[in-house]
Amino acid sequence: MANIKFYPHKGTGSSKVYLRLNIGREKDFRLSSGLTIENAKDWNHTTNLPKENTPKNKKLKNRLNDLSKELGKFIDDIEKDEAKGLFDIESKHIKSIIQKFNNLEPIKEKEFLVPYSKWFSNDLKRRTYIRNNVKLYYKQNTVDKYLNFSKILEKYQKHKGHKLKIKEVNTRFAADFLDYLTDIEKKSINTKGRYIKRLKTIVRDSQLNGCKVDPDYMNIKGFQDENIVTFLTFEEIDQIIKKEMPNERLQIAKDWFIISCYTAQRISDLHRFTKSNIQTIDGDKYIVLKQFKTGKNIEVPIHHIVRDILKKYGNDFPPKFTDNEQSQRSILSSLIKDVCRISGLRQKVQGRYNGKKGLYPKYKLISNHTGRRSFACNFYNLKDWSTQLIMNITGHVNERNFLTYIDKSDPTLSRIASAKFDAMEKEYLSKKEAQLKVVNE
């Protein structure tokens, strides 16, 4: 007869949850379940499961019950197997079931690049990283990026005609991979730079897990193209606000774009805006949200232009074109280009279009991210707005990342500076004229 019991490894605080599996008097296994309870004081020692006093503990209890069922099924199968018996069960068998249950099956082809990259991508789901002394889990978006990179590696492997080994990866390998990304995949410079960084990250991780590597891989460097920021000035945003759109679909896209220009939020957060995000704090209205990408809590004061748009929709946000975020992202990106074209933003400016740098009509360079960049650039140039004040709304973690939004090479900033100099000169001349008048009198 088998008996399964769970218990926390420690008495207080965050603790690994262990299991004890007894099979008769001969077999007694004690292994980590791979799961953790946030506070061991929340453990119910009568049921040998967590108390259901928090959503996380409820989820943990369900997971442990599911694991118990998996182990129970394994034992039942062994009992029915005429060739095996319960006393044939070893610790490694139980450990394998736990790993499979937690999606942590060890990689079988550790020396090969493509299988390892897939394992690494899926293993990110359980990993954490530290930001500002806070432990965070990798988001599914990051996992998906690495899974997509694994597919690129798989295509490259097919192109090369042999299984790629991790120990092959060095600067020569990276150079050939870059040629493939350029000539066959037709990737942009920034995409290629990100892929090279991911390649190095995966190889470094394999080294930490005992795989043989070529030390030369450490000389592989990621890169990015020259940063070109396209943003709209306050005057250009006003130009869009004043222009009537020819149909409702474009009007809705225009309203979403204006909201982004005065809230500085990413499309992933705009897509999640509902009336419930509008809250009154100390008598003023704010858009309160937890940013999807960073998990940071933000309170965005509602600008009067945003307030006017909300009033138009009955104090609600404009309707979405679809509930699917990727589709909404694609539709808006296309429509706001039309909005800017109709609004007359056709002057040619330096930018990157379809990955190629050159002079293009400005409306072609507008994207879902332009509103966020416009907020950062415009308010950065207002003397009463500090960088920290702006970052409090954009949600940037550090000033270095924020300043990538401020394009030093964009001529618009120089024109703004020139206008400020002109205003300073007028003020200077006015004061000088007043002083001369006093002297003459």
Side-chain angles (χ1 to χ4, degrees):
M1 174 66 81
N3 180 47
I4 301 170
K5 185 175 80 170
F6 297 103
Y7 62 95
H9 184 57
K10 296 191 299 184
T12 59
S14 177
S15 174
K16 291 285 185 184
V17 177
Y18 274 62
L19 69 87
R20 183 176 183 180
L21 172 61
N22 294 111
I23 303 176
R25 295 182 178 180
E26 303 295 326
K27 298 284 185 177
D28 187 353
F29 303 106
R30 297 171 187 257
L31 295 165
S32 171
S33 68
L35 301 170
T36 302
I37 186 169
E38 284 191 334
N39 190 345
K41 287 185 176 180
D42 291 335
W43 192 262
N44 187 325
H45 292 279
T46 301
T47 62
N48 298 314
L49 289 167
K51 298 174 184 176
E52 296 186 83
N53 56 345
T54 69
K56 286 187 177 180
N57 283 346
K58 288 180 182 178
K59 184 178 179 180
L60 176 60
K61 180 180 177 181
N62 291 334
R63 289 285 289 164
L64 290 170
N65 280 327
D66 289 342
L67 176 56
S68 183
K69 289 176 185 176
E70 286 291 320
L71 292 168
K73 183 177 180 300
F74 167 72
I75 293 168
D76 286 343
D77 289 342
I78 293 292
E79 285 185 310
K80 294 173 185 175
D81 193 330
E82 294 180 359
K84 297 178 182 178
L86 293 179
F87 295 110
D88 294 320
I89 297 175
E90 297 180 17
S91 179
K92 64 181 181 181
H93 300 138
I94 308 300
K95 189 174 182 179
S96 177
I97 292 168
I98 294 170
Q99 288 177 323
K100 186 175 182 180
F101 177 79
N102 289 319
N103 195 29
L104 302 176
E105 286 187 282
I107 185 168
K108 295 176 181 177
E109 298 181 287
K110 285 183 73 171
E111 72 269 30
F112 293 107
L113 183 59
V114 172
Y116 193 91
S117 69
K118 291 179 180 179
W119 176 84
F120 171 83
S121 302
N122 285 307
D123 197 53
L124 280 178
K125 296 174 185 176
R126 73 175 183 90
R127 300 192 187 192
T128 60
Y129 64 98
I130 304 297
R131 175 186 284 168
N132 293 338
N133 296 320
V134 177
K135 185 170 76 171
L136 302 170
Y137 282 92
Y138 287 97
K139 292 187 176 294
Q140 186 61 44
N141 187 43
T142 302
V143 175
D144 290 342
K145 287 176 180 177
Y146 274 94
L147 285 171
N148 181 61
F149 176 65
S150 296
K151 292 178 182 177
I152 294 293
L153 282 177
E154 200 163 20
K155 290 169 73 175
Y156 176 60
Q157 177 174 267
K158 187 176 180 180
H159 171 74
K160 295 297 290 183
H162 70 273
K163 293 184 76 171
L164 302 172
K165 291 188 175 181
I166 290 172
K167 66 181 181 181
E168 289 181 52
V169 180
N170 52 30
T171 50
R172 269 195 324 278
F173 180 99
D176 189 75
F177 183 45
L178 278 174
D179 288 341
Y180 169 80
L181 293 173
T182 303
D183 300 333
I184 309 298
E185 292 291 327
K186 308 293 184 184
K187 298 297 183 183
S188 69
I189 291 177
N190 286 336
T191 298
K192 290 186 289 188
R194 285 194 295 271
Y195 281 174
I196 290 298
K197 287 180 183 178
R198 287 172 194 164
L199 174 66
K200 186 174 181 179
T201 297
I202 289 169
V203 175
R204 183 191 294 116
D205 188 80
S206 74
Q207 184 181 25
L208 293 173
N209 279 312
C211 296
K212 290 182 180 180
V213 300
D214 184 336
D216 183 46
Y217 90 86
M218 288 298 295
N219 295 317
I220 296 173
K221 302 292 182 185
F223 53 85
Q224 63 182 33
D225 199 1
E226 176 191 356
N227 188 37
I228 302 177
V229 176
T230 300
F231 71 96
L232 303 182
T233 63
F234 282 128
E235 291 74 20
E236 288 171 323
I237 296 171
D238 285 342
Q239 192 174 325
I240 294 172
I241 292 171
K242 292 173 184 175
K243 185 67 177 180
E244 289 291 326
M245 291 295 114
N247 58 57
E248 184 183 16
R249 193 172 173 84
L250 284 168
Q251 182 61 49
I252 291 172
K254 166 184 162 179
D255 288 338
W256 273 118
F257 184 56
I258 299 304
I259 288 173
S260 74
C261 289
Y262 284 99
T263 61
Q265 300 309 303
R266 301 175 183 87
I267 183 67
S268 56
D269 294 313
L270 290 174
H271 182 74
R272 289 167 174 77
F273 278 1
T274 67
K275 196 170 184 176
S276 64
N277 290 107
I278 303 172
Q279 298 181 22
T280 302
I281 303 173
D282 295 333
D284 294 316
K285 295 282 187 181
Y286 292 81
I287 298 171
V288 180
L289 69 144
K290 184 176 184 178
Q291 289 187 327
F292 179 73
K293 181 177 179 179
T294 64
K296 187 171 183 180
N297 293 310
I298 302 291
E299 295 176 356
V300 182
I302 297 182
H303 191 278
H304 68 90
I305 290 176
V306 175
R307 186 181 65 230
D308 290 343
I309 292 174
L310 296 180
K311 282 183 179 178
K312 185 169 66 173
Y313 293 96
N315 290 323
D316 207 346
F317 288 98
K320 292 182 288 190
F321 297 106
T322 171
D323 288 331
N324 182 281
E325 183 182 339
Q326 290 302 321
S327 298
Q328 174 81 354
R329 186 187 298 264
S330 178
I331 292 168
L332 268 181
S333 181
S334 176
L335 289 178
I336 61 178
K337 285 180 173 62
D338 290 336
V339 167
C340 292
R341 176 180 55 79
I342 293 167
S343 300
L345 301 181
R346 305 185 184 203
Q347 69 275 26
K348 288 194 173 183
V349 296
Q350 185 80 5
R352 190 174 287 108
Y353 185 68
N354 290 336
K356 294 183 178 180
K357 189 166 58 176
L359 286 172
Y360 300 98
K362 192 163 191 177
Y363 72 86
K364 286 191 174 185
L365 304 176
I366 303 304
S367 70
N368 292 322
H369 219 57
T370 304
R372 180 169 165 81
R373 290 188 182 276
S374 298
F375 182 98
C377 290
N378 287 328
F379 285 89
Y380 184 78
N381 284 287
L382 294 179
K383 63 180 181 180
D384 294 333
W385 284 70
S386 67
T387 301
Q388 195 59 45
L389 187 59
I390 302 168
M391 286 171 57
N392 186 58
I393 293 176
T394 62
H396 280 95
V397 176
N398 57 59
E399 190 169 340
R400 178 175 57 82
N401 288 341
F402 168 77
L403 290 176
T404 62
Y405 277 56
I406 312 300
D407 185 8
K408 312 296 190 300
S409 65
D410 193 299
T412 309
L413 290 178
S414 297
R415 306 300 176 268
I416 293 171
S418 177
K420 290 181 180 293
F421 282 174
D422 289 343
M424 290 172 68
E425 183 182 15
K426 286 179 182 179
E427 185 179 358
Y428 170 76
L429 292 174
S430 177
K431 287 181 179 178
K432 190 173 182 181
E433 186 178 338
Q435 289 172 350
L436 286 172
K437 188 179 287 187
V438 170
V439 172
N440 291 334
E441 289 176 353

